[in-house]
Amino acid sequence: MNRSDIFEKLANLEANINQINSDMGNLKNLTVEVIEENVALQIENENLKTLIDKEEKPKAVENGKKIPKKQPLRSKDNLAMLYKEGFHICNGELFGKHRKGDDCLFCLEVLSE
């Protein structure tokens, strides 16, 4: 194998690695967007459930039925608000520290649970 073949293979390998890095960055951004949308939809779903429960409670009282009172999860809303304000909410030493504008997949995982 001569030198030009080696350099050509190295150049091809470097181009492939750069493409993989670019693809990974794009995939990470898409993943963050999907997780953020999922968290927002989960919070909206909880809020809608709370609203429905409030509307159904007077109807159930009128019909003489007792429905157990369901408390909404406000802690998740608070965590989502803190994350949106730029703070880490993931478990570990980063909890409560500023994210400096970067998304954190661990924080997003906490919100998606």
Side-chain angles (χ1 to χ4, degrees):
M1 197 178 251
N2 61 26
R3 290 181 189 169
S4 64
D5 290 340
I6 293 173
F7 285 118
E8 184 178 327
K9 286 187 179 195
L10 282 174
N12 289 338
L13 183 60
E14 183 180 18
N16 289 342
I17 290 173
N18 288 337
Q19 183 62 43
I20 289 172
N21 281 336
S22 174
D23 291 344
M24 282 296 292
N26 292 336
L27 185 58
K28 179 186 173 191
N29 291 336
L30 287 173
T31 303
V32 167
E33 287 177 21
V34 167
I35 291 173
E36 285 177 344
E37 181 181 9
N38 187 29
V39 169
L41 289 172
Q42 285 177 342
I43 292 170
E44 183 178 359
N45 190 19
E46 287 297 321
N47 291 337
L48 289 172
K49 285 179 183 178
T50 303
L51 187 65
I52 289 171
D53 286 344
K54 285 180 182 178
E55 289 181 5
E56 288 181 353
K57 185 177 178 183
K59 292 178 187 175
V61 172
E62 289 174 6
N63 295 334
K65 296 179 184 176
K66 282 190 174 181
I67 296 178
K69 190 174 183 181
K70 192 176 186 182
Q71 295 293 328
L73 295 175
R74 296 289 176 213
S75 58
K76 189 175 267 193
D77 292 342
N78 291 337
L79 287 175
M81 183 180 64
L82 285 172
Y83 181 78
K84 191 172 184 176
E85 290 177 3
F87 295 97
H88 280 279
I89 57 168
C90 55
N91 297 332
E93 62 186 55
L94 292 177
F95 181 81
K97 294 184 180 173
H98 199 275
R99 290 186 294 119
K100 299 176 184 168
D102 295 332
D103 287 314
C104 175
L105 293 177
F106 298 115
C107 292
L108 294 172
E109 176 67 24
V110 169
L111 287 174
S112 68
E113 292 177 350

